Amino acid sequence: MKVLKEKVITDGVVLSDQILKVDSFLNHQIDPLLMKQIGEEFAERFKHGGVTKILTLESSGIAPSVMTGLCLDVPVVFARKRKSLTLQNKLLTASVYSFTKQEESKIAVSSEHLSASDVVLVIDDFLANGQAARGLIHIVEQAGAKLAGIGIVIEKSFQEGASPLREKGIKVESLVRIKSLKDGKIEFVKEANV
Amino acid sequence: MKVLKEKVITDGVVLSDQILKVDSFLNHQIDPLLMKQIGEEFAERFKHGGVTKILTLESSGIAPSVMTGLCLDVPVVFARKRKSLTLQNKLLTASVYSFTKQEESKIAVSSEHLSASDVVLVIDDFLANGQAARGLIHIVEQAGAKLAGIGIVIEKSFQEGASPLREKGIKVESLVRIKSLKDGKIEFVKEANV
């Protein structure tokens, strides 16, 4: 996705070989117009998937998911990282280890909002080690729902998250794919259509 | 806002005299079309405010804020409830007590994304005791920015949050205002324009 790639180049900050900071348009400050374009792109890539629901993870997955949900005309459910007093019903849960935060957390979705009749598009901001994606897929499985695929804003292809998912036959659509962050430089995976 | 009021009536669940659960369209599952309508309504109410930035709080404030930011053509910044490894720069912080979660938390915004030249519209999902709103205003003040006003999706008018803000001369625009949740019933504040 050209406009996103350009944004990553101009506004992304390489913090280390592993970490790309995109706090100025995705993870802390959000660019609403870019989110709309991202939503349109995900909707285009998954429009034939029969999607009935989008599942994401708070907080950075919410903006791109809501824009995608608007285009596909389906609700968005965001998994919570901590229980809240108003989230009382039966929960579908998974454990997710965050390498960025260096901690394990439990993510939860109320079973009220995900059922066996759903076809679920999982969306997240980053795909790195695949922990969050696997957690979300585990929740989809617990609900007995069907997985339409995974939409990722930025894939760090040099980490091991994406390949095992694609090898399982899961449709993983990443809007930009980063090959390397070595020496403070952002190198993208070369793709025919970008 | 008529469509929102109807949604609160059909989908809101009164958990106690104090707590209204709107997990099916705002706090856990999100209705993207309703969020778009909410964004349009906030944009209409604040279009003459010279807004340059929207400030909200993760996670439930993000969806209505991004839709408002799209209409007003301004970026959205969401305050984080916990530090993340990629949020390293100078932080503007405030303490917020959540009566729902019964805990005090620190909220933080990077000073990179809020400056003295900004005119800030604060948006949040609920206004009850006003803790979150006051925390966000405190962050706006620390940045030396100007406050355009506060946009609230659901105001619980029987709690003491809104009045002191309005008495200070702050423009508080709540899309629905709830007078009481007693006896499991949702009673709205009667308003000329609703």
Side-chain angles (χ1 to χ4, degrees):
Chain A
M1 189 183 170
K2 193 161 175 278
V3 62
L4 176 63
K5 197 170 166 180
E6 284 163 3
K7 194 79 172 175
V8 168
I9 292 168
T10 56
D11 292 18
V13 178
V14 180
L15 290 186
S16 74
D17 283 6
Q18 305 291 316
I19 300 180
L20 174 69
K21 180 175 158 176
V22 289
D23 276 8
S24 67
F25 62 91
L26 182 60
N27 294 141
H28 184 29
Q29 180 166 263
I30 300 170
D31 179 333
L33 180 59
L34 181 63
M35 294 304 123
K36 180 170 178 276
Q37 293 166 321
I38 285 171
E40 288 162 354
E41 182 71 25
F42 279 138
E44 179 63 28
R45 297 191 188 196
F46 288 98
K47 66 183 177 187
H48 300 304
V51 175
T52 64
K53 200 153 282 193
I54 292 169
L55 177 64
T56 189
L57 186 56
E58 64 179 352
S59 292
S60 298
I62 294 175
S65 295
V66 170
M67 291 299 183
T68 311
L70 187 65
C71 292
L72 290 175
D73 194 21
V74 297
V76 173
V77 176
F78 63 90
R80 287 198 169 273
K81 286 177 184 162
R82 294 193 295 175
K83 279 186 207 175
S84 122
L85 277 188
T86 63
L87 239 181
Q88 293 174 323
N89 292 41
K90 192 169 164 288
L91 295 176
L92 311 168
T93 64
S95 288
V96 172
Y97 182 79
S98 164
F99 288 88
T100 315
K101 292 183 181 170
Q102 294 171 3
E103 62 182 27
E104 175 123 347
S105 61
K106 187 158 267 188
I107 65 171
V109 169
S110 165
S111 60
E112 273 182 281
H113 302 306
L114 214 52
S115 77
S117 60
D118 278 317
V119 180
V120 182
L121 169 57
V122 167
I123 287 183
D124 207 4
D125 56 339
F126 273 96
L127 178 63
N129 296 287
Q131 290 278 333
R134 274 198 296 276
L136 292 168
I137 292 170
H138 186 50
I139 283 174
V140 172
E141 288 167 349
Q142 283 172 66
K146 198 184 150 200
L147 182 68
I150 301 176
I152 296 293
V153 181
I154 300 172
E155 176 186 315
K156 295 197 276 185
S157 307
F158 57 89
Q159 289 174 313
E160 72 270 31
S163 302
L165 297 172
R166 290 195 173 102
E167 281 159 17
K168 276 187 190 173
I170 295 171
K171 176 174 175 166
V172 181
E173 290 286 338
S174 302
L175 302 188
V176 301
R177 300 175 70 199
I178 292 171
K179 189 179 171 186
S180 162
L181 293 171
K182 279 193 186 137
D183 305 322
K185 282 173 61 180
I186 305 169
E187 194 183 342
F188 294 91
V189 175
K190 282 192 178 59
E191 287 176 282
N193 61 340
V194 179
Chain B
M1 190 183 170
K2 194 160 175 279
V3 63
L4 177 63
K5 197 170 165 179
E6 283 163 3
K7 194 77 171 176
V8 169
I9 292 168
T10 56
D11 291 18
V13 179
V14 180
L15 290 186
S16 73
D17 284 6
Q18 305 291 317
I19 300 180
L20 174 70
K21 180 175 157 176
V22 289
D23 276 8
S24 67
F25 62 90
L26 182 59
N27 294 141
H28 184 29
Q29 179 165 264
I30 300 171
D31 179 333
L33 179 59
L34 182 63
M35 294 304 123
K36 180 170 177 277
Q37 293 166 320
I38 285 172
E40 288 163 355
E41 181 71 25
F42 279 139
E44 179 63 28
R45 296 191 188 197
F46 288 98
K47 66 183 177 187
H48 300 305
V51 176
T52 64
K53 199 153 283 194
I54 293 169
L55 177 64
T56 189
L57 186 57
E58 64 179 350
S59 292
S60 298
I62 293 174
S65 295
V66 170
M67 290 299 184
T68 310
L70 188 65
C71 291
L72 290 175
D73 194 21
V74 297
V76 172
V77 177
F78 63 90
R80 288 200 169 270
K81 286 177 184 163
R82 295 192 296 173
K83 280 185 207 174
S84 122
L85 277 187
T86 64
L87 237 180
Q88 293 174 323
N89 292 40
K90 193 170 164 288
L91 295 176
L92 312 168
T93 63
S95 288
V96 171
Y97 182 79
S98 164
F99 288 88
T100 314
K101 292 184 181 167
Q102 294 171 3
E103 62 181 27
E104 175 125 347
S105 61
K106 187 158 268 188
I107 65 171
V109 170
S110 165
S111 60
E112 274 181 280
H113 302 305
L114 214 50
S115 77
S117 60
D118 277 317
V119 180
V120 182
L121 169 57
V122 167
I123 288 182
D124 207 5
D125 55 340
F126 272 97
L127 178 63
N129 297 286
Q131 291 277 334
R134 274 198 297 275
L136 292 169
I137 292 171
H138 186 51
I139 283 174
V140 173
E141 288 168 349
Q142 283 172 65
K146 198 183 150 201
L147 182 68
I150 301 176
I152 296 293
V153 181
I154 300 173
E155 176 186 315
K156 296 197 276 185
S157 307
F158 57 89
Q159 289 175 314
E160 70 270 30
S163 302
L165 298 171
R166 291 195 173 104
E167 281 159 17
K168 276 188 189 172
I170 294 170
K171 177 174 174 167
V172 182
E173 290 285 338
S174 301
L175 302 188
V176 301
R177 300 174 69 199
I178 292 171
K179 190 180 172 185
S180 163
L181 293 172
K182 279 193 185 136
D183 304 323
K185 283 174 61 182
I186 305 170
E187 193 184 341
F188 295 92
V189 175
K190 282 191 177 59
E191 287 176 283
N193 61 338
V194 179

